[in-house]
Amino acid sequence: MPHPEPPLTETAYAKINLALHVRERRDDGYHTLESLFVFARDGDQLSAVRAKGLTLTVDGPFGPSLGQEDDNLVLRAARALQAATGTDQGAHIHLDKRLPVASGIGGGSADAAATLRLLMRLWRANLPAPALHDLALTLGSDVPACLASRTQLVGGRGETLGEAHVRDLAEAPLLLVNPGVPVSTGPVFAGWDRIDRGALRADSLTALSAARNDLEPPAMLLAPVIAEVLATLRSQPGVTLSRMSGSGATCFALFADTRARDAATQALRAAHPAWWCMESTLR
Ligand code: C5P
C-alpha cells in the first residue's frame, strides 16, 4: 500500500510594526503609510495535504475566535491561488490558530501569505513574483509584506516593499502582549486625526525610538486598556523599544537580552493573568 504523503507545513509569522507613520488619507479611503515591518519566529501553524476540493480545519487557542469558515482568509487565499494558476488541484488545510484575532500582529494576513507559500509548494504552482504580489494585495494591505516575512520598509497602502537595514535588531528578544480586546483595523484608521507628523527614519534602534505609531491615539480611544499595556511594558527593566503594533491592541517590547525578556514575561503574567503574552525572537 502506498504511504500517504506527509503534510507540508508553514509558519504564519507574527508581524510587528516597529513604527507606523500615517502620512495621508487617500480618496479611496485607504491611508498612505511608512512602516518598518519585522517578524517574530513564532506564529500560527499551517499544514496541507492534497485533497479533492478545498477544506479547512482550525484548532488552537484562538481557533474559536475565527469567524465564518467560508470567509476565512486562508480559504480566500487558496481560492485566489487556484483561480490565478488555473489549477484543478485541491487541498485540505489545517490551521493551528495561536495568535489573537484582530490584534495588529497580522494574524489573518500572515495566515493568507503562509497559505500562498504552502499551496505554491503543494501544487508546484508557478506564479511569477509580481503576480503573486498583486494577488496578495487583493487579500489585504499587509499580505504582500507577509509573503517574505522579513524586515522590510513598507509604503503606499502596503504594496511598496523596500529593503531595510536596521542596526541592533537582529534576533532581538521580543515580548508581545494583548489585553484581550479585539480591535478592527478600519475604525482605527478612520480615527486618525489627519495630521501628517512627518517621515519615518528607521536605520537604527535610536532612530526608531524617536519614531511613532500614529494609530496609537485612535486605537486607545477605542480600547483604553492599551495605555495600561504600554505603561506596564515600558516599566520593565531591559526594554529597548516598546510600542503598539499595527492598529492594536497588541503591544510589543524588545529587550536587551533574553533574561530581561523572561523576567518581564513572568512579571506580566503574574500581574495580568488575563492578558495574552508571547515570548519570541525577531527573525
Ligand atoms: O487592506 P485591509 O483589508 O487589511 O484593510 C482593512 C481596513 O483598514 C481598510 O478597509 C481600511 O479601512 C484600513 N486601511 C487603511 N489604510 C491602509 C490599510 C488599511 O485605511 N494602508
Side-chain angles (χ1 to χ4, degrees):
M1 244 175 62
H3 289 291
E5 268 183 285
L8 296 185
T9 60
E10 282 280 339
T11 300
Y13 303 101
K15 168 223 72 166
I16 301 118
N17 303 89
L18 289 193
L20 195 165
H21 290 195
V22 186
R23 304 298 308 276
E24 188 182 25
R25 187 184 183 279
R26 308 189 328 190
D27 289 342
D28 64 3
Y30 281 98
H31 294 75
T32 306
L33 44 89
E34 291 169 18
S35 182
L36 184 72
F37 278 46
V38 299
F39 292 84
R41 282 191 190 156
D42 301 287
D44 294 338
Q45 293 295 324
L46 286 111
S47 62
V49 291
R50 285 171 208 281
K52 278 207 176 112
L54 283 175
T55 51
L56 172 68
T57 48
V58 183
D59 67 4
F62 291 100
S65 338
L66 278 189
Q68 261 293 310
E69 194 185 282
D70 249 22
D71 192 35
N72 188 287
L73 264 175
V74 169
L75 282 176
R76 282 174 49 203
R79 283 191 213 110
L81 187 67
Q82 262 184 338
T85 59
T87 184
D88 57 4
Q89 301 177 81
H92 173 68
I93 307 170
H94 183 72
L95 168 63
D96 178 4
K97 189 77 199 152
R98 300 180 185 182
L99 302 175
V101 174
S103 75
I105 48 174
S109 307
D111 290 347
T115 301
L116 295 176
R117 295 195 301 268
L118 190 62
L119 296 183
M120 293 276 286
R121 286 166 57 210
L122 189 74
W123 295 338
R124 299 198 171 90
N126 201 1
L127 198 63
L132 185 62
H133 174 279
D134 291 353
L135 188 157
L137 189 63
T138 66
L139 298 166
S141 304
D142 288 350
V143 184
C146 289
L147 278 175
S149 289
R150 56 180 166 70
T151 301
Q152 290 159 91
L153 267 174
V154 176
R157 65 168 261 234
E159 75 280 14
T160 311
L161 308 181
E163 293 272 321
H165 302 283
V166 190
R167 288 190 299 278
D168 319 317
L169 264 194
E171 300 182 7
L174 161 75
L175 175 59
L176 294 172
V177 179
N178 183 284
V181 183
V183 177
S184 294
T185 307
V188 174
F189 269 103
W192 177 59
D193 62 8
R194 303 197 187 179
I195 296 173
D196 175 10
R197 292 175 173 80
L200 170 63
R201 228 196 88 203
D203 51 0
S204 68
L205 211 44
T206 314
L208 279 167
S209 300
R212 322 174 295 273
N213 180 345
D214 288 328
L215 297 180
E216 269 178 17
M220 281 177 191
L221 279 180
L222 296 173
V225 66
I226 292 168
E228 194 187 345
V229 175
L230 278 176
T232 310
L233 272 176
R234 287 173 178 162
S235 69
Q236 303 302 313
V239 173
T240 57
L241 182 69
S242 178
R243 191 165 277 148
M244 189 182 85
S245 177
S247 53
T250 305
C251 299
F252 69 85
L254 301 181
F255 289 85
D257 53 60
T258 50
R259 190 187 294 232
R261 189 227 19 226
D262 296 351
T265 312
Q266 265 196 332
L268 259 99
R269 287 202 170 122
H272 299 279
W275 290 1
W276 173 84
C277 295
M278 187 178 90
E279 288 176 302
S280 191
T281 305
L282 291 189
R283 65 189 295 253

